[in-house]
Amino acid sequence: MTSNSNTNQSSVPKVVGGIIALLLCCTCALIVLAGAIIYWGYQQSPTDMPFPFPTIESGPTVPPPTPARPP
């Protein structure tokens, strides 16, 4: 009887490689999806305001006090 331990050892790198490839594909898909969401978000944002910014109306201005200097 001979045991064939070579087949068990050769399947480990294939499984690890498959897991790494799957994680790499998922990461790339998430990056592409995030980029698409950001792109669509910028496309739907308004570029100009439908109304102007409100202006703050101020009352009469008071000149700043001048220091009194001795002659």
Side-chain angles (χ1 to χ4, degrees):
M1 265 170 109
T2 61
S3 67
N4 194 358
S5 64
N6 193 14
T7 58
N8 290 339
Q9 291 177 349
S10 66
S11 66
V12 172
K14 290 180 183 178
V15 170
V16 171
I19 291 172
I20 290 173
L22 182 66
L23 289 175
L24 197 65
C25 289
C26 289
T27 303
C28 289
L30 284 175
I31 290 171
V32 168
L33 182 64
I37 289 172
I38 291 171
Y39 176 75
W40 287 327
Y42 278 120
Q43 292 297 319
Q44 293 178 357
S45 66
T47 56
D48 56 339
M49 298 291 288
F51 52 88
F53 285 110
T55 57
I56 299 174
E57 306 230 358
S58 61
T61 58
V62 178
T66 56
R69 296 185 181 154

